[in-house]
């Protein structure tokens, strides 16, 4: 078996393989035997028909096609060992990724067998002066502070989250909890998703069309109302932008929300604070940590994005496609968690899966470049998590399952371990970069 190599753009490789007929012939014999074992041939037990009889029954071309498949499979391990030995690629640096594209280029009785493999390799990533980039961005890290107003707003949110409600026999006011039926029509035709029953909301805080909540103010339990809303010209759903919509609403329930006062007793009820001062201090500490974490994440993102942008790397198509699939899966899972069907969501935003992939392609390539830059920094600095760290992270993931049997059904342990190792490696790289 001989081969020649052609280097292609985007970290791809074409390997043309030639196999002498003497080397290929045993696969032809094996292919005929397998077909004989699968096909009913009159006068012969399965697997016992001679080559000439099998060829007459299914055609010699069918035998050679099966032989080609067997030969490629048999040659694959030896070929990869030779490619590694000849340093065509290095498993620890730029191994093949994805599935190879296989094309048979010569297949004829009595002739040498030829085929080619098109491989995508993990690309070599040449970084620029990444230490200087990290040092410069780290200098731009901002000192964060928390204002008294932010603390006050946080405490308002805490009190709101502990609010109770009481039914009232009075007109609905802004801030009240209500439960309504509603139906929305455009030109007399009910719009898709424009109907709900026993829908709860807090007046003044819903995300409906401007004017919707205001139209419900003053309604009593049992009252029905018909009103018209003008959709803003810049509304996100362009099919309704600027139009007038007719809304029918029926008020089922009105409740006054009772927000607790900010007192020492309220602070104690939170379980961790002795008084209002302690609650304010806790809120300030939490906000400060949140801001610090956000700024640290911002700096981390800037460092690696600038390093990736300045790197020299040919991103193979297979990695971009994989990232696009990952992005689409993330969106799809989010849509399903909101209780919406994926196809309905696509119709609502007037997009196709192909259209989304086209829009996201630039972001997908950027993400791949970032991942490759992280990988290269880890290689250059020999940053790797310890095996016990990987096992601990794996156990954290597995703890989400009710039982070991359930985890075994849903999780490939080797893939999970590789995933955990990659996540931990990236975390360590970020910790290293932010200290430069």
């Amino acid at each position: 078996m001989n081969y020649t190599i052609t280097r292609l753009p985007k970290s791809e490789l074409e390997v043309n393989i030639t196999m002498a007929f003497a080397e290929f012939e045993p696969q032809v014999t094996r292919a005929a035997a397998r077909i004989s074992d699968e096909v009913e041939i009159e006068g012969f037990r399965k697997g016992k028909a001679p080559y000439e009889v099998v060829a007459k029954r299914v055609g010699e071309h069918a035998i050679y096609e099966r032989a080609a498949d067997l030969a490629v499979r048999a040659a694959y391990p030896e070929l990869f060992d030779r490619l590694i030995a000849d340093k065509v690629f290095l498993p620890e640096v730029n191994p093949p990724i994805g599935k190879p594209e296989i094309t048979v280029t010569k297949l004829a009785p009595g002739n040498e067998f030829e085929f080619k493999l098109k491989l995508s390799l993990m690309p070599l990533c040449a970084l620029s002066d990444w230490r200087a980039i990290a040092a410069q961005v780290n200098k731009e890290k901002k000192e964060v502070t928390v204002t008294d107003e932010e603390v006050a707003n946080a405490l308002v949110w805490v009190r709101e989250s502990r609010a109770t409600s009481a039914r009232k026999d009075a007109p609905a006011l802004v801030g009240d909890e209500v439960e309504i039926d509603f139906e929305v029509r455009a030109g007399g035709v009910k719009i898709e998703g424009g109907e709900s029953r026993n829908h709860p909301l807090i007046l003044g805080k819903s995300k409906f069309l401007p004017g919707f909540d205001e139209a419900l103010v003053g309604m009593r339990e049992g009252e029905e109302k018909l009103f018209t809303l003008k959709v803003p010209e810049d509304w996100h759903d362009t099919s309704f932008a600027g139009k007038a919509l007719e809304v029918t609403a029926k008020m089922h329930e009105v409740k006054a929300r009772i927000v607790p006062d900010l007192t020492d007793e309220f602070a104690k009820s939170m379980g961790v604070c002795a008084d209002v001062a302690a609650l304010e201090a806790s809120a300030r500490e939490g906000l400060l940590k949140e801001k610090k974490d956000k700024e640290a994440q911002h700096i981390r993102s800037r460092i690696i994005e600038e390093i990736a942008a300045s790197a020299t790397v040919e991103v193979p198509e297979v990695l971009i496609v994989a990232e696009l699939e990952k992005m689409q899966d993330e969106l799809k899972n989010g849509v399903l968690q909101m209780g919406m069907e994926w196809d309905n969501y696509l119709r609502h935003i007037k997009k196709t899966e192909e259209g989304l992939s086209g829009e996201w392609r630039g972001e997908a390539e950027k993400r791949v470049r970032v991942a490759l830059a992280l990988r290269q920094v880890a290689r250059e600095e020999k940053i790797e998590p310890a095996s016990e760290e990987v096992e601990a992270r794996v156990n954290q993931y597995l703890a989400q399952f009710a039982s070991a049997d359930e985890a075994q059904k849903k999780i490939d342990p080797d893939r999970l371990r590789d995933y955990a190792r990659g996540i931990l490696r990236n975390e360590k790289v970020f910790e290293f970069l932010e200290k430069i």
Side-chain angles (χ1 to χ4, degrees):
M1 180 175 64
N2 298 312
Y3 71 82
T4 58
I5 296 294
T6 304
R7 299 279 180 180
L8 303 176
K10 293 192 173 182
S11 302
E12 292 184 337
L13 190 72
E14 187 175 272
V15 188
N16 290 277
I17 303 98
T18 301
M19 188 180 293
F21 183 71
E23 186 180 359
F24 179 62
E25 190 175 18
Q27 301 297 349
V28 177
T29 303
R30 188 173 291 113
R34 291 198 177 184
I35 293 173
S36 171
D37 193 48
E38 297 166 359
V39 178
E40 293 285 349
I41 300 178
E42 188 176 353
F44 296 92
R45 286 182 296 146
K46 282 195 171 185
K48 300 301 180 181
Y51 180 90
E52 293 75 12
V53 174
V54 177
K56 187 175 180 180
R57 172 72 171 79
V58 301
E60 194 166 34
H61 184 67
I63 296 175
Y64 269 74
E65 283 188 334
R66 176 68 70 88
D69 180 64
L70 294 174
V72 170
R73 291 175 184 273
Y76 213 68
E78 179 190 345
L79 176 64
F80 265 58
D81 288 344
R82 288 179 59 180
L83 292 174
I84 293 170
D86 293 343
K87 294 183 169 51
V88 175
F89 62 80
L90 301 175
E92 68 277 9
V93 178
N94 61 330
I97 51 178
K99 293 183 179 180
E101 186 180 308
I102 302 171
T103 307
V104 173
T105 54
K106 186 176 181 181
L107 180 65
N111 283 266
E112 59 189 12
F113 171 56
E114 295 180 1
F115 66 99
K116 66 181 179 182
L117 295 179
K118 188 176 180 182
L119 301 171
S120 293
L121 301 180
M122 182 66 75
L124 298 173
C125 183
L127 302 180
S128 60
D129 191 353
W130 55 271
R131 288 177 177 275
I133 292 173
Q136 180 58 43
V137 175
N138 280 326
K139 289 179 182 177
E140 299 169 15
K141 186 175 181 179
K142 298 176 183 176
E143 287 295 327
V144 297
T145 58
V146 176
T147 66
D148 291 343
E149 182 181 2
E150 289 172 321
V151 174
N153 289 337
L155 294 179
V156 168
W157 181 88
V158 171
R159 290 166 55 217
E160 289 276 353
S161 70
R162 291 293 193 276
T164 57
S165 58
R167 203 162 181 171
K168 70 176 191 178
D169 182 19
L173 301 174
V174 172
D176 284 347
E177 293 180 8
V178 300
E179 191 174 282
I180 62 169
D181 293 345
F182 70 84
E183 187 176 286
V184 184
R185 294 177 176 271
V189 179
K190 185 166 61 177
I191 68 173
E192 184 179 355
E195 180 180 18
S196 184
R197 296 286 180 265
N198 301 109
H199 192 96
L201 57 88
I202 299 175
L203 292 184
K205 295 188 177 182
S206 78
K207 304 296 183 182
F208 290 163
L209 284 167
F212 184 89
D213 287 20
E214 290 80 352
L216 301 178
V217 171
M219 292 180 66
R220 290 176 173 270
E221 287 188 9
E223 185 177 346
E224 294 187 32
K225 187 175 183 180
L226 173 65
F227 54 93
T228 300
L229 293 177
K230 179 69 180 299
V231 183
E233 297 289 347
D234 59 353
W235 192 245
H236 57 83
D237 189 338
T238 55
S239 60
F240 297 114
K243 292 184 178 180
L245 300 179
E246 306 91 42
V247 182
T248 303
K250 180 176 181 179
M251 184 68 68
H252 283 303
E253 193 172 75
V254 179
K255 290 182 178 180
R257 299 186 76 245
I258 305 169
V259 179
D261 293 332
L262 185 59
T263 63
D264 289 344
E265 287 302 314
F266 173 73
K268 290 177 184 177
S269 72
M270 300 296 293
V272 292
C273 300
D275 52 30
V276 170
L279 184 59
E280 289 176 342
S282 177
R284 188 179 297 277
E285 181 181 351
L287 288 169
L288 186 60
K289 182 180 184 305
E290 182 181 333
K291 282 191 169 187
K292 284 183 177 180
D293 290 346
K294 187 175 180 180
E295 178 63 13
Q297 186 59 46
H298 172 68
I299 292 297
R300 283 183 170 191
S301 296
R302 274 195 57 202
I303 290 174
I304 199 59
E305 285 174 6
E306 291 191 21
I307 291 174
S310 64
T312 302
V313 59
E314 290 188 330
V315 181
E317 184 67 16
V318 64
L319 289 182
I320 297 175
V321 170
E323 189 61 33
L324 285 170
E325 290 174 352
K326 180 182 174 184
M327 292 168 71
Q328 193 164 105
D329 286 343
E330 289 171 352
L331 177 60
K332 188 179 293 185
N333 289 334
V335 168
L336 293 176
Q337 287 175 6
M338 290 189 296
M340 187 182 296
E341 293 294 329
W342 176 240
D343 289 342
N344 290 340
Y345 172 78
L346 290 176
R347 282 195 295 270
H348 179 70
I349 64 172
K350 295 179 174 57
K351 303 283 185 182
T352 63
E353 290 187 351
E354 294 76 15
L356 288 176
S357 292
E359 292 177 7
W360 293 344
R361 186 176 178 82
E363 177 63 22
E365 183 169 356
K366 177 181 173 183
R367 290 189 185 188
V368 172
R369 290 179 67 92
V370 163
L372 293 171
L374 284 166
R375 180 175 180 270
Q376 185 62 23
V377 172
R379 284 192 67 249
E380 292 184 13
E381 294 299 316
K382 296 180 174 55
I383 298 173
E384 280 293 333
S387 57
E388 55 268 23
E389 292 177 299
V390 175
E391 290 305 315
R393 184 62 62 92
V394 166
N395 290 333
Q396 286 180 9
Y397 290 127
L398 294 177
Q400 301 171 19
F401 295 92
S403 67
D405 287 342
E406 183 188 354
Q408 192 171 18
K409 290 176 184 177
K410 296 183 177 181
I411 297 293
D412 179 334
D414 291 333
R415 290 185 64 183
L416 176 59
R417 196 165 281 105
D418 287 343
Y419 172 76
R421 184 178 292 106
I423 294 295
L424 284 166
R425 184 194 301 120
N426 288 348
E427 289 175 0
K428 288 179 177 294
V429 170
F430 278 124
E431 290 169 3
F432 171 78
L433 290 172
E434 64 189 4
K435 293 176 182 175
I436 293 177

